[in-house]
Amino acid sequence: MGACVFAFIEINHNDEWIIADDLVEDEDYEGKPVPKNVAPYWWGKSAYADIYELSGERGFPADLSAEMLSFIKEYWQDANRPSWLLMSELKHLQEDANGRCPAIDLTLFPSALPDSEVRLVFWADQ
C-alpha cells in the first residue's frame, strides 16, 4: 500500500512566511486555487518515512503561511505526520544522508534568497 506525499515551498518575506509560488488551480480540489505540490510523483511510503525521520518529526511550523493554513484547514485537517525542513537542512541531508533522503529537484526552490529563508513543508495522506 502506497502513500501520497504533499510538499510545499514557503519563503520568508519581511519576517512572514508565504507560499513561494502563486496559487494554482488543481482538478483534485475542484479547480480551486491551492498551493503547488512539489513532491515528486514517485515519492511513496518508504521515501516519506526517510525524509520524515531525517526532519526530526517537527509537525507543522508554528509560523505557517496564511495560504497553507487555509489549505490545510479546508482539505487536510488529518494530514499524516507533517514536518518541514529549511533549504539549508534539505541540502545538507541530500549531501550527507547516505542516499536515505529522497531526492527533490532543488531548482524548484527560489535561488535568490538565503537558504534560511526557504523551507519545504510536507506530509503524507496515510
Side-chain angles (χ1 to χ4, degrees):
M1 182 172 205
C4 290
V5 179
F6 300 85
F8 304 91
I9 301 170
E10 292 186 317
I11 59 173
N12 193 319
H13 179 70
N14 295 328
D15 291 326
E16 181 179 355
W17 288 94
I18 61 173
I19 59 166
D21 296 312
D22 291 332
L23 297 174
V24 295
E25 286 193 15
D26 189 315
E27 63 186 41
D28 290 338
Y29 302 99
E30 301 172 353
K32 293 183 181 177
V34 294
K36 180 182 176 185
N37 184 6
V38 297
Y41 71 91
W42 48 266
W43 274 17
K45 202 173 214 171
S46 62
Y48 183 78
D50 285 341
I51 194 168
Y52 178 71
E53 178 186 337
L54 292 168
S55 75
E57 306 175 9
R58 297 174 165 169
F60 284 120
D63 54 357
L64 197 62
S65 68
E67 298 93 345
M68 288 301 303
L69 281 171
S70 176
F71 179 61
I72 291 163
K73 183 178 179 180
E74 185 163 354
Y75 299 108
W76 289 103
Q77 302 90 346
D78 57 351
N80 188 25
R81 298 183 302 163
S83 197
W84 58 277
L85 289 164
L86 290 172
M87 181 67 168
S88 55
E89 296 169 315
L90 186 60
K91 284 180 177 178
H92 177 73
L93 288 175
Q94 287 192 333
E95 292 170 1
D96 298 333
N98 297 324
R100 287 183 55 226
C101 184
I104 189 165
D105 183 0
L106 298 181
T107 64
L108 296 171
F109 292 79
S111 59
L113 296 171
D115 288 348
S116 61
E117 307 263 324
V118 181
R119 69 183 174 198
L120 184 70
V121 177
F122 51 91
W123 65 85
D125 68 348
Q126 51 178 304

